[in-house]
Amino acid sequence: MENRMRIEFAALAENEAFARSAAAAFVACMDPTIEELTEIKTGVSEAVSNSIIHGYKENPNGTVELECQIREGGKIVIIVRDQGVGIEDVNKAREPMFTTGKTEERSGMGFTVMESFMDRLEVESRAGEGTTVTMIKQLDLSDGL
């Protein structure tokens, strides 16, 4: 079984809540635990916020794409894509505390948070072309017995 959805929305801060709600609603059919759902929502929030704040520099003319897939065995794949400024050095950007935002407003922990809540995190980016973040989460499908 594979199910998927894809949505696009304006790169506006208020759409971050929409994206996390859409992802949560989509995976709800898999009956995730509250913890799993919270982790998915947090990962989506971080990725979408990065696109809006860093990818588009808060330019509302940008578009963020959210794709979610449910794969066999309870594997959830979440892709957040933008055509923003891109990341010159992905390895550097994935270091804890690194930020291109104002340091008094940004913690530089976005990728670290995503990594801690997901089983796998992939970041593909090219300067001037945008960024694609792929997060993979394996749901525990046991019935609690």
Side-chain angles (χ1 to χ4, degrees):
M1 169 187 112
E2 182 170 315
N3 190 9
R4 61 189 160 99
M5 70 88 167
R6 184 180 336 184
I7 54 176
E8 291 184 0
F9 48 90
L12 297 168
E14 56 263 38
N15 285 338
E16 176 268 327
F18 165 72
R20 63 186 272 136
S21 295
F26 181 74
V27 301
C29 66
M30 298 300 295
D31 197 26
T33 65
I34 296 296
E35 183 178 336
E36 289 169 332
L37 205 52
T38 298
E39 291 171 349
I40 288 167
K41 289 165 61 175
T42 302
V44 168
S45 289
E46 292 294 334
V48 169
S49 292
N50 276 357
S51 288
I52 294 168
I53 294 166
H54 302 291
Y56 290 117
K57 307 291 185 193
E58 301 187 55
N59 177 350
N61 294 322
T63 300
V64 179
E65 181 181 316
L66 170 66
E67 182 177 343
C68 297
Q69 304 168 6
I70 298 171
R71 296 189 180 167
E72 195 71 39
K75 182 186 280 188
I76 306 297
V77 179
I78 301 165
I79 301 165
V80 176
R81 186 177 293 118
D82 67 60
Q83 274 78 56
V85 299
I87 303 170
E88 288 186 32
D89 186 342
V90 170
N91 291 329
K92 181 78 172 162
R94 289 180 74 161
E95 291 177 8
M97 308 307 286
F98 178 83
T99 184
T100 60
K102 298 174 186 165
T103 54
E104 64 274 4
E105 296 175 13
R106 314 288 346 145
S107 69
M109 297 296 288
F111 287 128
T112 303
V113 169
M114 285 181 248
E115 270 183 322
S116 69
F117 288 139
M118 298 294 160
D119 296 315
R120 195 162 106 208
L121 176 72
E122 298 171 4
V123 181
E124 296 177 32
S125 189
R126 290 199 172 149
E129 295 182 24
T131 302
T132 299
V133 174
T134 303
M135 298 174 280
I136 299 172
K137 177 98 177 142
Q138 178 63 53
L139 299 181
D140 179 7
L141 298 179
S142 68
D143 58 10
L145 299 177

